[in-house]
Amino acid sequence: MNMEAFLNPKDSAKFITENSQYVYVEKDGVRKVAGMLFDKVLEKDFSVAGWKSSHELNPQVVSEDAVNWVFLVDTLNFSFWSECEDLKCLVKYKDKMYSGYWSLCAAVNRALDEGIPITSASYYATMTLEQVRHAFRSDTDVPMPLLEDRHHVLNETGTILLEKFGGSFLTCVKQSGKSAKKLVQLIVENFPSFRDESTFQGTKVAFYKRAQILVADTWSVLEGKGDGCFSDISSVTIFADYRIPQVLVHLGAMKYSEELIKKLKEGHIFQSGDKQEVEIRGCSIWCCELICNHLLDLYKKKGKNMSEKINAVLLDYYLWDYARDHREDMKGIPFHRIRCIYY
């Protein structure tokens, strides 16, 4: 498996943005968003600590089990959008209903509470489809999307984790030698379902949404310390999904062509690798790189070096939570619909 043939996500994003026909990064909008975030980056939400303190379903301890929880969740971290706003997959956990990505986290915690060793590779490597259906059952009539794909990915990933890393993702983390870049590479080289790659204008491009979010969440669960002390965490880009582009367009940092807007409003279902889908994802990554750079510059002008406090990971976490909290305001901007295992 040769990753070198593919541009890394940052370079892919730059190349896509420079050649994009349907999606545009708006320089003024980028500056505006950076200005809006200027004071926010000093808040607790905008820090590695916010991953735990703002999200009750995330593991609150530093442990090997917590790392394996993160690995399982990011192995399944794809395709949670609902066809219809009123009909959603919801999972009830501790008297609270969770939707979207959080329905997955709630289901994992519910399974653990029920005595199902769902975060153990030896268990999910051999899970049957029935067991997957049971563990990830919805508390509404709408099931979690792509359960067959989730079953396949669980079996494949669990088997590889057992064969190559003794069943623990922490072993893989240790092999990275505290490098985020190296860990992304290890994940993509060893686990096929994380190979989120495409071709754009004859060039091989990569997004690695789930591989990068896995590195970011590992960094967060380990609180950026010990095995999770990645000195190069800023090499990780935002995680190109279907929510972040929507926020960026809402905030004016990114713009869609009329033709693309029309397609989105009609509820067009994209396929992985469609030109417009690749442009949406690539431009989102590059747009966020520019927002980060602009934020760092604003602080530099004030004589502050904020490179330890501002990176794409924290920006992604912030924008993703912003999207959740401003869903009503963003109703007018449709997200792009796609069903795939990459995001």
Side-chain angles (χ1 to χ4, degrees):
M1 163 69 203
N2 180 18
M3 271 174 74
E4 297 312 308
F6 289 85
L7 290 177
N8 67 36
K10 214 171 268 194
D11 295 339
S12 296
K14 186 171 192 282
F15 174 73
I16 291 163
T17 304
E18 285 166 355
N19 295 282
S20 177
Q21 280 176 282
Y22 302 97
V23 185
Y24 324 105
V25 173
E26 300 280 277
K27 292 281 194 301
D28 288 343
V30 163
R31 279 195 286 271
K32 195 188 89 185
V33 173
M36 173 191 109
L37 291 171
F38 187 78
D39 294 322
K40 295 269 183 276
V41 301
L42 300 170
E43 293 170 12
K44 192 181 181 181
D45 289 350
F46 204 102
S47 74
V48 71
W51 188 84
K52 292 184 178 182
S53 64
S54 303
H55 307 105
E56 71 272 8
L57 295 176
N58 287 342
Q60 300 295 314
V61 293
V62 173
S63 67
E64 184 165 9
D65 283 347
V67 170
N68 284 317
W69 184 97
V70 161
F71 181 71
L72 171 73
V73 164
D74 285 329
T75 292
L76 297 175
N77 189 347
F78 54 85
S79 206
F80 298 108
W81 56 273
S82 346
E83 311 280 337
C84 175
E85 265 307 297
D86 310 327
L87 299 167
K88 285 182 175 180
C89 161
L90 297 173
V91 172
K92 189 177 185 183
Y93 182 66
K94 293 191 172 169
D95 296 328
K96 194 173 166 187
M97 286 290 209
Y98 294 93
S99 66
Y101 163 74
W102 296 114
S103 68
L104 170 73
C105 301
V108 169
N109 291 349
R110 176 180 65 187
L112 289 169
D113 289 357
E114 289 171 354
I116 301 170
I118 190 96
T119 55
S120 301
S122 54
Y123 178 75
Y124 61 78
T126 56
M127 267 182 110
T128 64
L129 180 56
E130 274 320 299
Q131 287 173 317
V132 170
R133 283 206 173 105
H134 174 72
F136 298 102
R137 68 193 180 276
S138 171
D139 285 299
T140 66
D141 294 336
V142 182
M144 193 176 284
L146 302 181
L147 281 173
E148 285 86 354
D149 295 86
R150 293 183 202 279
H151 174 232
H152 169 74
V153 167
L154 279 169
N155 287 174
E156 175 185 78
T157 307
T159 303
I160 296 166
L161 194 65
L162 287 166
E163 283 172 3
K164 295 191 175 179
F165 302 101
S168 178
F169 183 59
L170 189 59
T171 306
C172 184
V173 175
K174 287 179 188 290
Q175 283 181 23
S176 74
K178 300 184 184 180
S179 164
K181 205 179 257 177
K182 180 80 171 74
L183 187 51
V184 169
Q185 203 170 342
L186 279 167
I187 295 162
V188 172
E189 280 172 0
N190 287 290
F191 302 101
S193 79
F194 285 86
R195 290 174 200 158
D196 177 9
E197 298 158 339
S198 224
T199 303
F200 183 75
Q201 297 195 348
T203 297
K204 289 176 167 182
V205 293
F207 302 106
Y208 301 141
K209 182 255 177 176
R210 287 199 295 111
Q212 293 201 111
I213 205 168
L214 173 53
V215 171
D217 288 348
T218 300
W219 177 65
S220 300
V221 81
L222 294 174
E223 296 170 8
K225 298 173 193 147
D227 293 313
C229 179
F230 305 128
S231 56
D232 60 347
I233 192 68
S234 61
S235 66
V236 173
T237 69
I238 60 129
F239 326 122
D241 67 354
Y242 46 86
R243 284 288 173 218
I244 298 291
Q246 189 190 21
V247 187
L248 294 172
V249 172
H250 169 71
L251 294 173
M254 211 163 78
K255 196 174 152 211
Y256 293 152
S257 72
E258 286 303 315
E259 186 186 333
L260 178 53
I261 284 273
K262 186 172 177 288
K263 221 176 191 178
L264 293 170
K265 289 200 162 145
E266 286 164 359
H268 176 82
I269 303 277
F270 292 88
Q271 299 300 311
S272 216
D274 285 353
K275 184 171 171 18
Q276 291 171 330
E277 182 253 359
V278 169
E279 287 190 8
I280 290 171
R281 299 184 80 201
C283 291
S284 300
I285 293 176
W286 192 244
C287 183
C288 288
E289 287 300 309
L290 296 177
I291 292 169
C292 278
N293 292 343
H294 201 70
L295 261 171
L296 288 167
D297 282 347
L298 288 175
Y299 272 101
K300 202 177 268 172
K301 287 192 178 103
K302 298 227 162 189
K304 271 190 181 171
N305 177 3
M306 294 285 280
S307 54
E308 297 287 308
K309 290 233 185 338
I310 295 169
N311 58 49
V313 172
L314 297 175
L315 177 61
D316 185 289
Y317 287 164
Y318 181 84
L319 291 174
W320 199 84
D321 285 343
Y322 180 95
R324 181 198 57 197
D325 299 339
H326 294 79
R327 197 136 299 171
E328 277 305 304
D329 313 340
M330 301 199 323
K331 271 222 164 98
I333 295 144
F335 62 89
H336 69 285
R337 294 164 169 253
I338 178 167
R339 285 277 181 227
C340 68
I341 65 165
Y342 300 114
Y343 65 101

